[in-house]
Amino acid sequence: MYEVTALLREYDRARAYTDDLWTDLTPDEITWRPHENSSAIGWHLGHQAHVAHFMVRNLTAAEPSPDPELDGLMDSANPEKFRGALPTVERLGAFRDTVAERVHARMNDIAGSRVGAPNQLTVVARHLLVALINHEYQHDQWIAEVREGNLGHALPGDPDTDHVSRLDGYLVLNPLA
């Protein structure tokens, strides 16, 4: 099974793949919705970070949201047609970066045994990171479909790692490698 530090590298690789899917798009392309009952690429970007924050917060460390105003907007429990206006691309990027820094900080504290119950939290951290990586890739699939199919942009190649494969068309991390 992966060590926490190896999973953090895979998390970074998944986030880099996401960046390859959106950083060259215009703000209008990032906020465009194919129809009322779908989400913009920007929503998926915020949602990926939102889920990462809440999983880390609820499973390993109670800490405040880095951007509480985004919490309701990025919650998938809200139907697409009721999701409000997206923040700026810069704010979405900053939110994603801040959450990733917090994921790293908490996971590194766990890997370095700087937490109570370090062995138990290591088990939690491993599974949490696999879930975060696969969640990142899950939303990357939708981003890729809109990027290519609706916006006409070429897709980047799959991440350069032997630890990721496709399952039902989605990139997934093999948690037992």
Side-chain angles (χ1 to χ4, degrees), residues 14-31 40-46 48-49 86-97 136 139-140 142-144 146-148 151 153-156:
R15 289 188 70 252
Y17 180 73
T18 303
D19 287 348
D20 288 345
L21 290 169
W22 77 277
T23 56
D24 65 333
L25 300 178
T26 68
D28 285 343
E29 289 173 319
I30 292 168
T31 58
I41 288 172
W43 180 85
H44 288 272
L45 298 171
Q48 288 165 318
L86 291 171
T88 65
V89 172
E90 294 77 18
R91 186 172 172 192
L92 282 171
F95 181 62
R96 288 178 57 79
D97 291 345
E136 189 83 11
H139 286 271
D140 286 349
W142 191 92
I143 293 169
V146 170
R147 175 189 172 87
E148 183 181 46
L151 301 175
H153 293 282
L155 294 177

mmCIF file of all heavy atoms in Angstrom, residues 14-31 40-46 48-49 86-97 136 139-140 142-144 146-148 151 153-156:
data_model
loop_
_atom_site.group_PDB
_atom_site.id
_atom_site.type_symbol
_atom_site.label_atom_id
_atom_site.label_comp_id
_atom_site.label_asym_id
_atom_site.label_seq_id
_atom_site.Cartn_x
_atom_site.Cartn_y
_atom_site.Cartn_z
ATOM 1 N N ALA A 14 -2.508 14.568 -9.853
ATOM 2 C CA ALA A 14 -3.913 14.711 -10.240
ATOM 3 C C ALA A 14 -4.281 16.186 -10.373
ATOM 4 O O ALA A 14 -4.971 16.592 -11.317
ATOM 5 C CB ALA A 14 -4.820 14.013 -9.222
ATOM 6 N N ARG A 15 -3.830 16.997 -9.431
ATOM 7 C CA ARG A 15 -4.112 18.436 -9.501
ATOM 8 C C ARG A 15 -3.438 19.070 -10.720
ATOM 9 O O ARG A 15 -4.008 19.948 -11.372
ATOM 10 C CB ARG A 15 -3.660 19.136 -8.224
ATOM 11 C CG ARG A 15 -4.542 18.797 -7.021
ATOM 12 C CD ARG A 15 -4.213 19.637 -5.806
ATOM 13 N NE ARG A 15 -4.648 21.003 -6.058
ATOM 14 C CZ ARG A 15 -3.826 22.044 -6.288
ATOM 15 N NH1 ARG A 15 -2.527 21.894 -6.260
ATOM 16 N NH2 ARG A 15 -4.320 23.238 -6.514
ATOM 17 N N ALA A 16 -2.226 18.615 -11.043
ATOM 18 C CA ALA A 16 -1.528 19.136 -12.224
ATOM 19 C C ALA A 16 -2.291 18.771 -13.501
ATOM 20 O O ALA A 16 -2.369 19.580 -14.438
ATOM 21 C CB ALA A 16 -0.097 18.604 -12.277
ATOM 22 N N TYR A 17 -2.848 17.565 -13.535
ATOM 23 C CA TYR A 17 -3.657 17.169 -14.684
ATOM 24 C C TYR A 17 -4.890 18.078 -14.799
ATOM 25 O O TYR A 17 -5.238 18.532 -15.882
ATOM 26 C CB TYR A 17 -4.065 15.696 -14.567
ATOM 27 C CG TYR A 17 -4.900 15.223 -15.724
ATOM 28 C CD1 TYR A 17 -4.326 15.010 -16.980
ATOM 29 C CD2 TYR A 17 -6.262 14.993 -15.578
ATOM 30 C CE1 TYR A 17 -5.085 14.584 -18.058
ATOM 31 C CE2 TYR A 17 -7.035 14.568 -16.654
ATOM 32 C CZ TYR A 17 -6.441 14.364 -17.880
ATOM 33 O OH TYR A 17 -7.200 13.949 -18.945
ATOM 34 N N THR A 18 -5.529 18.357 -13.663
ATOM 35 C CA THR A 18 -6.655 19.288 -13.676
ATOM 36 C C THR A 18 -6.216 20.631 -14.233
ATOM 37 O O THR A 18 -6.902 21.223 -15.070
ATOM 38 C CB THR A 18 -7.238 19.467 -12.258
ATOM 39 O OG1 THR A 18 -7.622 18.201 -11.744
ATOM 40 C CG2 THR A 18 -8.443 20.400 -12.269
ATOM 41 N N ASP A 19 -5.067 21.123 -13.781
ATOM 42 C CA ASP A 19 -4.554 22.403 -14.283
ATOM 43 C C ASP A 19 -4.352 22.367 -15.798
ATOM 44 O O ASP A 19 -4.623 23.349 -16.486
ATOM 45 C CB ASP A 19 -3.255 22.783 -13.581
ATOM 46 C CG ASP A 19 -3.473 23.236 -12.149
ATOM 47 O OD1 ASP A 19 -4.634 23.478 -11.747
ATOM 48 O OD2 ASP A 19 -2.460 23.339 -11.418
ATOM 49 N N ASP A 20 -3.875 21.227 -16.309
ATOM 50 C CA ASP A 20 -3.699 21.095 -17.757
ATOM 51 C C ASP A 20 -5.031 21.219 -18.498
ATOM 52 O O ASP A 20 -5.060 21.594 -19.665
ATOM 53 C CB ASP A 20 -3.057 19.754 -18.107
ATOM 54 C CG ASP A 20 -1.594 19.673 -17.743
ATOM 55 O OD1 ASP A 20 -0.965 20.728 -17.481
ATOM 56 O OD2 ASP A 20 -1.060 18.540 -17.706
ATOM 57 N N LEU A 21 -6.111 20.889 -17.816
ATOM 58 C CA LEU A 21 -7.435 20.949 -18.444
ATOM 59 C C LEU A 21 -8.061 22.342 -18.440
ATOM 60 O O LEU A 21 -8.976 22.595 -19.218
ATOM 61 C CB LEU A 21 -8.392 19.984 -17.730
ATOM 62 C CG LEU A 21 -8.141 18.504 -17.929
ATOM 63 C CD1 LEU A 21 -8.992 17.683 -16.962
ATOM 64 C CD2 LEU A 21 -8.417 18.100 -19.373
ATOM 65 N N TRP A 22 -7.603 23.232 -17.555
ATOM 66 C CA TRP A 22 -8.327 24.501 -17.449
ATOM 67 C C TRP A 22 -7.490 25.766 -17.527
ATOM 68 O O TRP A 22 -8.023 26.814 -17.884
ATOM 69 C CB TRP A 22 -9.157 24.531 -16.170
ATOM 70 C CG TRP A 22 -8.416 24.786 -14.897
ATOM 71 C CD1 TRP A 22 -7.741 23.871 -14.147
ATOM 72 C CD2 TRP A 22 -8.272 26.037 -14.215
ATOM 73 N NE1 TRP A 22 -7.191 24.464 -13.042
ATOM 74 C CE2 TRP A 22 -7.504 25.794 -13.054
ATOM 75 C CE3 TRP A 22 -8.718 27.329 -14.461
ATOM 76 C CZ2 TRP A 22 -7.171 26.809 -12.156
ATOM 77 C CZ3 TRP A 22 -8.388 28.333 -13.559
ATOM 78 C CH2 TRP A 22 -7.627 28.071 -12.424
ATOM 79 N N THR A 23 -6.217 25.734 -17.212
ATOM 80 C CA THR A 23 -5.481 26.996 -17.084
ATOM 81 C C THR A 23 -5.307 27.747 -18.397
ATOM 82 O O THR A 23 -5.039 28.946 -18.375
ATOM 83 C CB THR A 23 -4.116 26.785 -16.405
ATOM 84 O OG1 THR A 23 -3.366 25.816 -17.139
ATOM 85 C CG2 THR A 23 -4.288 26.348 -14.957
ATOM 86 N N ASP A 24 -5.475 27.085 -19.529
ATOM 87 C CA ASP A 24 -5.362 27.793 -20.806
ATOM 88 C C ASP A 24 -6.713 28.282 -21.333
ATOM 89 O O ASP A 24 -6.785 28.886 -22.395
ATOM 90 C CB ASP A 24 -4.681 26.908 -21.852
ATOM 91 C CG ASP A 24 -5.492 25.678 -22.206
ATOM 92 O OD1 ASP A 24 -6.282 25.197 -21.359
ATOM 93 O OD2 ASP A 24 -5.332 25.173 -23.341
ATOM 94 N N LEU A 25 -7.777 28.040 -20.576
ATOM 95 C CA LEU A 25 -9.102 28.477 -21.004
ATOM 96 C C LEU A 25 -9.350 29.927 -20.594
ATOM 97 O O LEU A 25 -8.756 30.429 -19.648
ATOM 98 C CB LEU A 25 -10.178 27.578 -20.380
ATOM 99 C CG LEU A 25 -10.101 26.094 -20.721
ATOM 100 C CD1 LEU A 25 -11.195 25.329 -19.984
ATOM 101 C CD2 LEU A 25 -10.181 25.860 -22.217
ATOM 102 N N THR A 26 -10.253 30.574 -21.296
ATOM 103 C CA THR A 26 -10.613 31.949 -20.959
ATOM 104 C C THR A 26 -11.568 31.944 -19.760
ATOM 105 O O THR A 26 -12.243 30.930 -19.504
ATOM 106 C CB THR A 26 -11.314 32.652 -22.138
ATOM 107 O OG1 THR A 26 -12.594 32.033 -22.340
ATOM 108 C CG2 THR A 26 -10.467 32.590 -23.411
ATOM 109 N N PRO A 27 -11.678 33.050 -19.057
ATOM 110 C CA PRO A 27 -12.668 33.122 -17.971
ATOM 111 C C PRO A 27 -14.087 32.802 -18.443
ATOM 112 O O PRO A 27 -14.841 32.146 -17.723
ATOM 113 C CB PRO A 27 -12.545 34.561 -17.471
ATOM 114 C CG PRO A 27 -11.113 34.917 -17.747
ATOM 115 C CD PRO A 27 -10.814 34.241 -19.074
ATOM 116 N N ASP A 28 -14.449 33.235 -19.636
ATOM 117 C CA ASP A 28 -15.783 32.929 -20.156
ATOM 118 C C ASP A 28 -15.969 31.429 -20.363
ATOM 119 O O ASP A 28 -17.049 30.889 -20.104
ATOM 120 C CB ASP A 28 -16.043 33.669 -21.474
ATOM 121 C CG ASP A 28 -16.311 35.146 -21.281
ATOM 122 O OD1 ASP A 28 -16.611 35.559 -20.132
ATOM 123 O OD2 ASP A 28 -16.205 35.893 -22.269
ATOM 124 N N GLU A 29 -14.939 30.740 -20.834
ATOM 125 C CA GLU A 29 -15.037 29.291 -21.026
ATOM 126 C C GLU A 29 -15.132 28.566 -19.677
ATOM 127 O O GLU A 29 -15.842 27.567 -19.553
ATOM 128 C CB GLU A 29 -13.828 28.769 -21.809
ATOM 129 C CG GLU A 29 -13.844 29.188 -23.263
ATOM 130 C CD GLU A 29 -12.570 28.826 -23.997
ATOM 131 O OE1 GLU A 29 -11.468 28.980 -23.427
ATOM 132 O OE2 GLU A 29 -12.677 28.381 -25.162
ATOM 133 N N ILE A 30 -14.444 29.077 -18.684
ATOM 134 C CA ILE A 30 -14.440 28.451 -17.358
ATOM 135 C C ILE A 30 -15.789 28.623 -16.672
ATOM 136 O O ILE A 30 -16.227 27.751 -15.916
ATOM 137 C CB ILE A 30 -13.286 29.007 -16.510
ATOM 138 C CG1 ILE A 30 -11.950 28.540 -17.113
ATOM 139 C CG2 ILE A 30 -13.394 28.583 -15.045
ATOM 140 C CD1 ILE A 30 -10.737 29.234 -16.551
ATOM 141 N N THR A 31 -16.483 29.708 -16.940
ATOM 142 C CA THR A 31 -17.772 29.963 -16.276
ATOM 143 C C THR A 31 -18.980 29.588 -17.131
ATOM 144 O O THR A 31 -20.112 29.654 -16.650
ATOM 145 C CB THR A 31 -17.888 31.441 -15.852
ATOM 146 O OG1 THR A 31 -17.752 32.273 -17.012
ATOM 147 C CG2 THR A 31 -16.813 31.794 -14.826
ATOM 148 N N ALA A 40 -20.624 24.617 -14.666
ATOM 149 C CA ALA A 40 -19.476 25.160 -15.395
ATOM 150 C C ALA A 40 -18.198 24.469 -14.942
ATOM 151 O O ALA A 40 -18.122 23.920 -13.833
ATOM 152 C CB ALA A 40 -19.373 26.661 -15.132
ATOM 153 N N ILE A 41 -17.184 24.520 -15.782
ATOM 154 C CA ILE A 41 -15.879 23.994 -15.416
ATOM 155 C C ILE A 41 -15.426 24.609 -14.099
ATOM 156 O O ILE A 41 -14.904 23.925 -13.216
ATOM 157 C CB ILE A 41 -14.853 24.245 -16.547
ATOM 158 C CG1 ILE A 41 -15.146 23.315 -17.729
ATOM 159 C CG2 ILE A 41 -13.417 24.082 -16.049
ATOM 160 C CD1 ILE A 41 -14.332 23.597 -18.972
ATOM 161 N N GLY A 42 -15.652 25.900 -13.931
ATOM 162 C CA GLY A 42 -15.240 26.582 -12.706
ATOM 163 C C GLY A 42 -15.897 26.008 -11.463
ATOM 164 O O GLY A 42 -15.274 25.956 -10.401
ATOM 165 N N TRP A 43 -17.141 25.577 -11.591
ATOM 166 C CA TRP A 43 -17.781 24.961 -10.429
ATOM 167 C C TRP A 43 -17.047 23.677 -10.043
ATOM 168 O O TRP A 43 -16.782 23.424 -8.877
ATOM 169 C CB TRP A 43 -19.266 24.660 -10.688
ATOM 170 C CG TRP A 43 -19.881 24.041 -9.469
ATOM 171 C CD1 TRP A 43 -20.407 24.705 -8.388
ATOM 172 C CD2 TRP A 43 -19.969 22.653 -9.161
ATOM 173 N NE1 TRP A 43 -20.813 23.794 -7.433
ATOM 174 C CE2 TRP A 43 -20.554 22.530 -7.888
ATOM 175 C CE3 TRP A 43 -19.601 21.487 -9.831
ATOM 176 C CZ2 TRP A 43 -20.799 21.301 -7.275
ATOM 177 C CZ3 TRP A 43 -19.837 20.258 -9.225
ATOM 178 C CH2 TRP A 43 -20.429 20.179 -7.968
ATOM 179 N N HIS A 44 -16.714 22.875 -11.034
ATOM 180 C CA HIS A 44 -16.005 21.619 -10.752
ATOM 181 C C HIS A 44 -14.655 21.896 -10.092
ATOM 182 O O HIS A 44 -14.248 21.175 -9.169
ATOM 183 C CB HIS A 44 -15.832 20.801 -12.028
ATOM 184 C CG HIS A 44 -17.115 20.210 -12.503
ATOM 185 N ND1 HIS A 44 -17.582 18.986 -12.089
ATOM 186 C CD2 HIS A 44 -18.057 20.699 -13.351
ATOM 187 C CE1 HIS A 44 -18.745 18.730 -12.655
ATOM 188 N NE2 HIS A 44 -19.056 19.761 -13.430
ATOM 189 N N LEU A 45 -13.983 22.940 -10.532
ATOM 190 C CA LEU A 45 -12.693 23.295 -9.925
ATOM 191 C C LEU A 45 -12.859 23.643 -8.452
ATOM 192 O O LEU A 45 -12.092 23.200 -7.596
ATOM 193 C CB LEU A 45 -12.066 24.467 -10.679
ATOM 194 C CG LEU A 45 -11.744 24.225 -12.147
ATOM 195 C CD1 LEU A 45 -11.346 25.531 -12.816
ATOM 196 C CD2 LEU A 45 -10.663 23.165 -12.294
ATOM 197 N N GLY A 46 -13.860 24.441 -8.151
ATOM 198 C CA GLY A 46 -14.118 24.799 -6.769
ATOM 199 C C GLY A 46 -14.610 23.617 -5.951
ATOM 200 O O GLY A 46 -14.237 23.441 -4.789
ATOM 201 N N GLN A 48 -13.919 20.407 -6.392
ATOM 202 C CA GLN A 48 -12.814 19.503 -6.078
ATOM 203 C C GLN A 48 -12.105 19.961 -4.804
ATOM 204 O O GLN A 48 -11.832 19.158 -3.899
ATOM 205 C CB GLN A 48 -11.813 19.450 -7.245
ATOM 206 C CG GLN A 48 -12.326 18.705 -8.459
ATOM 207 C CD GLN A 48 -11.479 18.973 -9.690
ATOM 208 O OE1 GLN A 48 -11.072 20.108 -9.955
ATOM 209 N NE2 GLN A 48 -11.220 17.926 -10.461
ATOM 210 N N ALA A 49 -11.820 21.238 -4.726
ATOM 211 C CA ALA A 49 -11.140 21.778 -3.543
ATOM 212 C C ALA A 49 -12.055 21.750 -2.324
ATOM 213 O O ALA A 49 -11.605 21.436 -1.209
ATOM 214 C CB ALA A 49 -10.652 23.198 -3.823
ATOM 215 N N LEU A 86 -20.369 32.126 -10.207
ATOM 216 C CA LEU A 86 -19.039 31.682 -9.791
ATOM 217 C C LEU A 86 -18.146 32.868 -9.445
ATOM 218 O O LEU A 86 -18.297 33.950 -10.008
ATOM 219 C CB LEU A 86 -18.384 30.870 -10.911
ATOM 220 C CG LEU A 86 -19.004 29.515 -11.185
ATOM 221 C CD1 LEU A 86 -18.400 28.915 -12.447
ATOM 222 C CD2 LEU A 86 -18.800 28.578 -10.007
ATOM 223 N N PRO A 87 -17.198 32.634 -8.559
ATOM 224 C CA PRO A 87 -16.220 33.682 -8.272
ATOM 225 C C PRO A 87 -15.269 33.832 -9.458
ATOM 226 O O PRO A 87 -15.326 33.061 -10.413
ATOM 227 C CB PRO A 87 -15.496 33.158 -7.039
ATOM 228 C CG PRO A 87 -15.627 31.681 -7.131
ATOM 229 C CD PRO A 87 -16.964 31.427 -7.772
ATOM 230 N N THR A 88 -14.378 34.786 -9.362
ATOM 231 C CA THR A 88 -13.395 34.983 -10.430
ATOM 232 C C THR A 88 -12.492 33.766 -10.556
ATOM 233 O O THR A 88 -12.343 32.974 -9.614
ATOM 234 C CB THR A 88 -12.517 36.214 -10.150
ATOM 235 O OG1 THR A 88 -11.746 35.952 -8.972
ATOM 236 C CG2 THR A 88 -13.352 37.482 -10.005
ATOM 237 N N VAL A 89 -11.884 33.638 -11.702
ATOM 238 C CA VAL A 89 -10.938 32.556 -11.944
ATOM 239 C C VAL A 89 -9.772 32.646 -10.954
ATOM 240 O O VAL A 89 -9.301 31.627 -10.441
ATOM 241 C CB VAL A 89 -10.444 32.599 -13.411
ATOM 242 C CG1 VAL A 89 -9.319 31.616 -13.642
ATOM 243 C CG2 VAL A 89 -11.609 32.328 -14.356
ATOM 244 N N GLU A 90 -9.347 33.861 -10.652
ATOM 245 C CA GLU A 90 -8.248 34.047 -9.698
ATOM 246 C C GLU A 90 -8.639 33.543 -8.309
ATOM 247 O O GLU A 90 -7.833 32.884 -7.636
ATOM 248 C CB GLU A 90 -7.837 35.524 -9.628
ATOM 249 C CG GLU A 90 -7.225 36.071 -10.904
ATOM 250 C CD GLU A 90 -8.245 36.387 -12.000
ATOM 251 O OE1 GLU A 90 -9.457 36.521 -11.707
ATOM 252 O OE2 GLU A 90 -7.835 36.469 -13.175
ATOM 253 N N ARG A 91 -9.852 33.825 -7.909
ATOM 254 C CA ARG A 91 -10.310 33.370 -6.590
ATOM 255 C C ARG A 91 -10.428 31.848 -6.554
ATOM 256 O O ARG A 91 -10.070 31.213 -5.561
ATOM 257 C CB ARG A 91 -11.647 34.024 -6.255
ATOM 258 C CG ARG A 91 -12.131 33.724 -4.845
ATOM 259 C CD ARG A 91 -13.351 34.556 -4.533
ATOM 260 N NE ARG A 91 -13.962 34.188 -3.269
ATOM 261 C CZ ARG A 91 -15.150 34.593 -2.871
ATOM 262 N NH1 ARG A 91 -15.851 35.423 -3.637
ATOM 263 N NH2 ARG A 91 -15.645 34.203 -1.718
ATOM 264 N N LEU A 92 -10.935 31.251 -7.633
ATOM 265 C CA LEU A 92 -11.004 29.789 -7.700
ATOM 266 C C LEU A 92 -9.612 29.176 -7.609
ATOM 267 O O LEU A 92 -9.403 28.200 -6.882
ATOM 268 C CB LEU A 92 -11.673 29.338 -9.005
ATOM 269 C CG LEU A 92 -13.180 29.432 -9.069
ATOM 270 C CD1 LEU A 92 -13.666 29.174 -10.491
ATOM 271 C CD2 LEU A 92 -13.818 28.469 -8.093
ATOM 272 N N GLY A 93 -8.672 29.742 -8.345
ATOM 273 C CA GLY A 93 -7.300 29.228 -8.307
ATOM 274 C C GLY A 93 -6.683 29.360 -6.931
ATOM 275 O O GLY A 93 -6.015 28.436 -6.444
ATOM 276 N N ALA A 94 -6.912 30.494 -6.288
ATOM 277 C CA ALA A 94 -6.368 30.700 -4.942
ATOM 278 C C ALA A 94 -7.000 29.726 -3.947
ATOM 279 O O ALA A 94 -6.309 29.184 -3.075
ATOM 280 C CB ALA A 94 -6.609 32.144 -4.497
ATOM 281 N N PHE A 95 -8.292 29.488 -4.080
ATOM 282 C CA PHE A 95 -8.986 28.531 -3.222
ATOM 283 C C PHE A 95 -8.395 27.140 -3.388
ATOM 284 O O PHE A 95 -8.071 26.459 -2.406
ATOM 285 C CB PHE A 95 -10.481 28.550 -3.551
ATOM 286 C CG PHE A 95 -11.332 27.625 -2.736
ATOM 287 C CD1 PHE A 95 -11.434 27.757 -1.358
ATOM 288 C CD2 PHE A 95 -12.080 26.627 -3.360
ATOM 289 C CE1 PHE A 95 -12.253 26.907 -0.610
ATOM 290 C CE2 PHE A 95 -12.896 25.786 -2.625
ATOM 291 C CZ PHE A 95 -12.979 25.914 -1.250
ATOM 292 N N ARG A 96 -8.211 26.731 -4.632
ATOM 293 C CA ARG A 96 -7.630 25.409 -4.906
ATOM 294 C C ARG A 96 -6.225 25.306 -4.305
ATOM 295 O O ARG A 96 -5.878 24.302 -3.686
ATOM 296 C CB ARG A 96 -7.586 25.147 -6.416
ATOM 297 C CG ARG A 96 -8.942 24.887 -7.036
ATOM 298 C CD ARG A 96 -8.837 24.685 -8.547
ATOM 299 N NE ARG A 96 -7.936 23.603 -8.915
ATOM 300 C CZ ARG A 96 -8.255 22.318 -8.869
ATOM 301 N NH1 ARG A 96 -9.456 21.930 -8.480
ATOM 302 N NH2 ARG A 96 -7.385 21.402 -9.239
ATOM 303 N N ASP A 97 -5.421 26.332 -4.494
ATOM 304 C CA ASP A 97 -4.049 26.305 -3.983
ATOM 305 C C ASP A 97 -4.006 26.265 -2.458
ATOM 306 O O ASP A 97 -3.220 25.519 -1.861
ATOM 307 C CB ASP A 97 -3.259 27.513 -4.496
ATOM 308 C CG ASP A 97 -2.973 27.444 -5.988
ATOM 309 O OD1 ASP A 97 -3.123 26.358 -6.593
ATOM 310 O OD2 ASP A 97 -2.618 28.494 -6.551
ATOM 311 N N GLU A 136 -10.738 13.976 -7.689
ATOM 312 C CA GLU A 136 -10.158 14.961 -8.617
ATOM 313 C C GLU A 136 -10.306 14.458 -10.047
ATOM 314 O O GLU A 136 -10.787 15.162 -10.935
ATOM 315 C CB GLU A 136 -8.687 15.196 -8.267
ATOM 316 C CG GLU A 136 -8.044 16.329 -9.011
ATOM 317 C CD GLU A 136 -8.288 17.706 -8.410
ATOM 318 O OE1 GLU A 136 -8.792 17.828 -7.274
ATOM 319 O OE2 GLU A 136 -7.970 18.688 -9.110
ATOM 320 N N HIS A 139 -13.995 14.442 -11.514
ATOM 321 C CA HIS A 139 -14.467 15.712 -12.069
ATOM 322 C C HIS A 139 -13.639 16.139 -13.272
ATOM 323 O O HIS A 139 -14.141 16.865 -14.138
ATOM 324 C CB HIS A 139 -14.518 16.779 -10.979
ATOM 325 C CG HIS A 139 -15.679 16.549 -10.066
ATOM 326 N ND1 HIS A 139 -16.920 17.079 -10.305
ATOM 327 C CD2 HIS A 139 -15.790 15.792 -8.945
ATOM 328 C CE1 HIS A 139 -17.756 16.668 -9.362
ATOM 329 N NE2 HIS A 139 -17.091 15.890 -8.520
ATOM 330 N N ASP A 140 -12.407 15.675 -13.362
ATOM 331 C CA ASP A 140 -11.604 15.947 -14.554
ATOM 332 C C ASP A 140 -12.257 15.364 -15.798
ATOM 333 O O ASP A 140 -12.152 15.940 -16.888
ATOM 334 C CB ASP A 140 -10.196 15.365 -14.416
ATOM 335 C CG ASP A 140 -9.318 16.157 -13.481
ATOM 336 O OD1 ASP A 140 -9.697 17.282 -13.082
ATOM 337 O OD2 ASP A 140 -8.228 15.643 -13.126
ATOM 338 N N TRP A 142 -15.461 15.144 -16.505
ATOM 339 C CA TRP A 142 -16.492 16.065 -16.971
ATOM 340 C C TRP A 142 -15.851 17.315 -17.564
ATOM 341 O O TRP A 142 -16.271 17.803 -18.624
ATOM 342 C CB TRP A 142 -17.443 16.447 -15.832
ATOM 343 C CG TRP A 142 -18.646 17.172 -16.349
ATOM 344 C CD1 TRP A 142 -19.832 16.618 -16.710
ATOM 345 C CD2 TRP A 142 -18.763 18.575 -16.592
ATOM 346 N NE1 TRP A 142 -20.693 17.598 -17.156
ATOM 347 C CE2 TRP A 142 -20.058 18.812 -17.101
ATOM 348 C CE3 TRP A 142 -17.912 19.658 -16.451
ATOM 349 C CZ2 TRP A 142 -20.515 20.075 -17.453
ATOM 350 C CZ3 TRP A 142 -18.375 20.923 -16.798
ATOM 351 C CH2 TRP A 142 -19.654 21.115 -17.293
ATOM 352 N N ILE A 143 -14.829 17.847 -16.886
ATOM 353 C CA ILE A 143 -14.122 19.024 -17.407
ATOM 354 C C ILE A 143 -13.585 18.720 -18.801
ATOM 355 O O ILE A 143 -13.715 19.528 -19.730
ATOM 356 C CB ILE A 143 -12.990 19.462 -16.454
ATOM 357 C CG1 ILE A 143 -13.580 19.977 -15.137
ATOM 358 C CG2 ILE A 143 -12.103 20.525 -17.103
ATOM 359 C CD1 ILE A 143 -12.540 20.177 -14.029
ATOM 360 N N ALA A 144 -12.997 17.529 -18.966
ATOM 361 C CA ALA A 144 -12.430 17.137 -20.259
ATOM 362 C C ALA A 144 -13.507 17.033 -21.336
ATOM 363 O O ALA A 144 -13.296 17.452 -22.485
ATOM 364 C CB ALA A 144 -11.687 15.807 -20.118
ATOM 365 N N VAL A 146 -16.341 18.667 -21.536
ATOM 366 C CA VAL A 146 -16.765 20.011 -21.926
ATOM 367 C C VAL A 146 -15.640 20.709 -22.691
ATOM 368 O O VAL A 146 -15.883 21.356 -23.713
ATOM 369 C CB VAL A 146 -17.213 20.830 -20.693
ATOM 370 C CG1 VAL A 146 -17.426 22.292 -21.047
ATOM 371 C CG2 VAL A 146 -18.477 20.230 -20.108
ATOM 372 N N ARG A 147 -14.426 20.565 -22.218
ATOM 373 C CA ARG A 147 -13.274 21.195 -22.870
ATOM 374 C C ARG A 147 -13.186 20.768 -24.337
ATOM 375 O O ARG A 147 -13.051 21.597 -25.229
ATOM 376 C CB ARG A 147 -11.990 20.821 -22.125
ATOM 377 C CG ARG A 147 -10.733 21.326 -22.795
ATOM 378 C CD ARG A 147 -9.469 20.756 -22.145
ATOM 379 N NE ARG A 147 -8.314 21.108 -22.924
ATOM 380 C CZ ARG A 147 -7.623 22.235 -22.796
ATOM 381 N NH1 ARG A 147 -7.984 23.126 -21.896
ATOM 382 N NH2 ARG A 147 -6.585 22.478 -23.563
ATOM 383 N N GLU A 148 -13.270 19.472 -24.553
ATOM 384 C CA GLU A 148 -13.118 18.962 -25.910
ATOM 385 C C GLU A 148 -14.421 19.023 -26.702
ATOM 386 O O GLU A 148 -14.455 19.562 -27.810
ATOM 387 C CB GLU A 148 -12.604 17.519 -25.872
ATOM 388 C CG GLU A 148 -12.353 16.938 -27.256
ATOM 389 C CD GLU A 148 -11.864 15.511 -27.193
ATOM 390 O OE1 GLU A 148 -12.444 14.695 -26.444
ATOM 391 O OE2 GLU A 148 -10.892 15.213 -27.912
ATOM 392 N N LEU A 151 -16.202 22.989 -26.113
ATOM 393 C CA LEU A 151 -15.362 24.169 -26.355
ATOM 394 C C LEU A 151 -14.336 23.956 -27.472
ATOM 395 O O LEU A 151 -13.702 24.914 -27.902
ATOM 396 C CB LEU A 151 -14.654 24.576 -25.053
ATOM 397 C CG LEU A 151 -15.583 24.918 -23.883
ATOM 398 C CD1 LEU A 151 -14.770 25.189 -22.621
ATOM 399 C CD2 LEU A 151 -16.472 26.104 -24.227
ATOM 400 N N HIS A 153 -11.400 22.320 -27.541
ATOM 401 C CA HIS A 153 -9.973 22.327 -27.200
ATOM 402 C C HIS A 153 -9.447 20.901 -27.107
ATOM 403 O O HIS A 153 -10.134 20.002 -26.607
ATOM 404 C CB HIS A 153 -9.731 23.019 -25.853
ATOM 405 C CG HIS A 153 -10.031 24.479 -25.866
ATOM 406 N ND1 HIS A 153 -9.183 25.416 -26.408
ATOM 407 C CD2 HIS A 153 -11.106 25.170 -25.398
ATOM 408 C CE1 HIS A 153 -9.710 26.621 -26.265
ATOM 409 N NE2 HIS A 153 -10.874 26.500 -25.660
ATOM 410 N N ALA A 154 -8.223 20.714 -27.556
ATOM 411 C CA ALA A 154 -7.581 19.402 -27.452
ATOM 412 C C ALA A 154 -7.368 19.038 -25.986
ATOM 413 O O ALA A 154 -7.242 19.916 -25.127
ATOM 414 C CB ALA A 154 -6.234 19.415 -28.184
ATOM 415 N N LEU A 155 -7.331 17.750 -25.730
ATOM 416 C CA LEU A 155 -7.089 17.264 -24.371
ATOM 417 C C LEU A 155 -5.608 16.993 -24.159
ATOM 418 O O LEU A 155 -4.911 16.561 -25.080
ATOM 419 C CB LEU A 155 -7.863 15.970 -24.119
ATOM 420 C CG LEU A 155 -9.377 16.089 -24.119
ATOM 421 C CD1 LEU A 155 -10.010 14.714 -23.928
ATOM 422 C CD2 LEU A 155 -9.837 17.046 -23.036
ATOM 423 N N PRO A 156 -5.121 17.198 -22.952
ATOM 424 C CA PRO A 156 -3.751 16.809 -22.642
ATOM 425 C C PRO A 156 -3.671 15.285 -22.558
ATOM 426 O O PRO A 156 -4.700 14.602 -22.426
ATOM 427 C CB PRO A 156 -3.502 17.447 -21.272
ATOM 428 C CG PRO A 156 -4.859 17.518 -20.645
ATOM 429 C CD PRO A 156 -5.813 17.768 -21.798
#
